[in-house]
Amino acid sequence: MLKINNRFWFKLHGWLSLPVWALFCFICITGTISVISHELTWLTNPNARAANPADLPAKPAAELVQIVKQAYPTADVTNVVSFEPYLVNGVLFTDHDKPVAIAYVNQYSGEIQEVNQGITFINFMRSLHGWLLFPWHGSYSIGYYLVSLTAFVTLGAVITGMIVYKGFWRAFTQPKLRMSQGKKTFLTDLHKLSGVWSIWFLLVMGLTGLWYLIQAILWHVDYDIEPHPPLAQISQLPADIAQPPQPPLDLNGAMAIAKQRYPEFSPSYLMMPEHPRDTFKLYGGGDHAFYDEMSYFLAINPWNKEVVGDLNPDKMDILQTLAHIADPLHYGTLGGLWTKAIWFVFGLIISGMSVTGFLIWGSRTVKAARQTPAPVGQTVQEG
């Protein structure tokens, strides 16, 4: 039986890191920033803060929509987005002079604090980290594949690292960081120590990244993880299409239906009907800690008030479950600010590991090249 020595595993570990170290480091850094993108938005943009000195209750989404329509009478409101409680709600709309705009509405005071017609910092960082801002061609993006393929690099580096670092578990109880024996020794100890303490985090990143790759393939082959709700029947629409009346169900009524069905429903993304046959699509979170804020979904026909689409964690199949637990595990949002802080710290650690790993590999490669004997018959000319 072929026996693979330790040198092979060390080389494999190095080559898993070296060729893609710059891309991997970039993805780690942008992901680390994405984890705290909401908090950075709060720090850097006062208009995004949902100040509530009078301790007022949050206004319903329908009232925020009316506030925007009063300020912009010709606007067509398409979505309402809820972020963190300390950030304003976003009301997305289009107008004759605003192709795409998002109004930052303080959900407590009802004040429109800003109208943004560009990409938000949160969306920019998620897009930069998720698919490197590569364009989407239909249902796929090359950048999304590049990012998700680094899951193999992450998992491969963890496995080969544990094989190369004999007795790695001792670093939990006997951490070693020699700072007085030169830069090379210090970098090596730092890399090993960071790697051992980050094993759990690297496994989480690698496994969720592997899911993102599977998800990308499913999107590419047009496989719907979640079925699309049916459209309203033409027979349900009014006969006079020249002057169609408003459907009997508005956003307030749709939210009341959602709350009646799921009392724990906390709205995060609300979509208005785009055309007469479309439905209200309400996404939100509930009382399941490991699921994202889109794990509860209702599609409601505005003409007959019928729920035509319904999904929650108790009804999900395995693919739907993976789709809704991947983001909280990948971005550390499952426990609020505390888990975000932990994910941010370990994101910095693995970002630094990619740099120290490159420096260690590079120094050893240069040293090995210098020690390689010259071929027979080759003379060295001295200047």
Side-chain angles (χ1 to χ4, degrees):
M1 183 177 180
L2 180 63
K3 183 178 180 180
I4 302 176
N5 60 26
N6 197 60
R7 182 174 178 81
F8 168 82
W9 291 114
F10 178 78
K11 285 186 175 182
L12 181 60
H13 180 74
W15 282 110
L16 282 169
S17 304
L18 182 62
V20 293
W21 79 272
L23 176 63
F24 182 78
C25 184
F26 181 79
I27 292 172
C28 289
I29 292 173
T30 53
T32 302
I33 296 173
S34 295
V35 167
I36 58 168
S37 57
H38 291 89
E39 289 69 31
L40 290 176
T41 298
W42 186 91
L43 285 172
T44 58
N45 186 359
N47 290 331
R49 301 171 188 169
N52 187 20
D55 198 24
L56 299 171
K59 297 179 182 296
E63 186 172 342
L64 303 183
V65 171
Q66 289 304 315
I67 290 171
V68 173
K69 286 185 175 181
Q70 289 175 5
Y72 301 93
T74 59
D76 179 21
V77 175
T78 57
N79 309 87
V80 180
V81 185
S82 300
F83 303 102
E84 304 288 352
Y86 46 84
L87 293 177
V88 295
N89 284 10
V91 179
L92 283 72
F93 67 96
T94 62
D95 208 347
H96 60 88
D97 60 342
K98 295 177 178 63
V100 179
I102 176 170
Y104 291 177
V105 186
N106 188 316
Q107 63 269 32
Y108 306 110
S109 67
E111 178 187 358
I112 299 177
Q113 299 180 176
E114 182 181 320
V115 174
N116 187 345
Q117 297 189 61
I119 187 171
T120 65
F121 176 73
I122 296 169
N123 286 338
F124 173 76
M125 290 309 306
R126 287 293 182 97
S127 301
L128 185 62
H129 173 66
W131 53 88
L132 306 175
L133 297 181
F134 274 67
W136 284 82
H137 301 282
S139 57
Y140 78 95
S141 167
I142 295 175
Y144 196 97
Y145 277 115
L146 287 174
V147 173
S148 54
L149 280 169
T150 58
F152 291 108
V153 177
T154 304
L155 294 173
V158 172
I159 295 170
T160 56
M162 288 190 294
I163 294 173
V164 169
Y165 187 10
K166 303 298 183 181
F168 66 88
W169 55 86
R170 297 190 185 94
F172 290 114
T173 58
Q174 302 172 15
K176 181 173 61 176
L177 189 60
R178 294 166 289 182
M179 304 179 66
S180 59
Q181 297 185 24
K183 182 178 71 174
K184 179 182 175 181
T185 301
F186 172 73
L187 288 176
T188 301
D189 287 350
L190 181 63
H191 184 79
K192 290 179 177 180
L193 190 62
S194 300
V196 171
W197 281 86
S198 302
I199 287 175
W200 70 272
F201 186 75
L202 290 165
L203 288 175
V204 169
M205 295 300 105
L207 292 174
T208 52
L210 191 60
W211 160 249
Y212 291 139
L213 177 61
I214 296 171
Q215 184 175 249
I217 296 171
L218 294 176
W219 287 343
H220 200 159
V221 299
D222 294 327
Y223 178 88
D224 291 327
I225 298 176
E226 297 179 9
H228 297 284
L231 299 174
Q233 298 295 323
I234 295 178
S235 59
Q236 296 172 344
L237 273 62
D240 185 7
I241 60 174
Q243 294 293 331
Q246 291 295 320
L249 185 70
D250 59 8
L251 182 56
N252 257 334
M255 285 298 300
I257 293 174
K259 284 288 188 179
Q260 183 178 9
R261 179 162 296 206
Y262 299 118
E264 70 276 19
F265 181 80
S266 176
S268 62
Y269 192 77
L270 311 178
M271 299 178 64
M272 313 299 146
E274 294 182 357
H275 51 79
R277 295 185 61 191
D278 201 5
T279 59
F280 283 102
K281 299 180 182 66
L282 314 178
Y283 295 88
D287 55 2
H288 289 71
F290 286 95
Y291 288 79
D292 62 18
E293 294 301 311
M294 305 278 280
S295 57
Y296 285 75
F297 167 70
L298 287 175
I300 305 174
N301 186 322
W303 299 101
N304 61 7
K305 304 182 182 180
E306 179 185 354
V307 176
V308 295
D310 183 6
L311 188 66
N312 67 77
D314 295 330
K315 297 181 178 180
M316 291 180 181
D317 59 29
I318 183 63
L319 291 180
Q320 292 165 348
T321 298
L322 290 173
H324 286 281
I325 66 173
D327 274 9
L329 290 172
H330 195 76
Y331 292 101
T333 58
L334 67 166
L337 286 173
W338 286 106
T339 50
K340 280 187 179 184
I342 294 171
W343 260 243
F344 175 73
V345 170
F346 278 90
L348 291 178
I349 290 173
I350 64 171
S351 299
M353 282 176 59
S354 65
V355 176
T356 57
F358 170 75
L359 293 175
I360 293 168
W361 180 261
S363 64
R364 293 189 178 184
T365 302
V366 171
K367 182 179 179 180
R370 289 175 177 174
Q371 293 177 348
T372 301
V376 177
Q378 181 177 332
T379 59
V380 179
Q381 297 180 356
E382 298 183 359

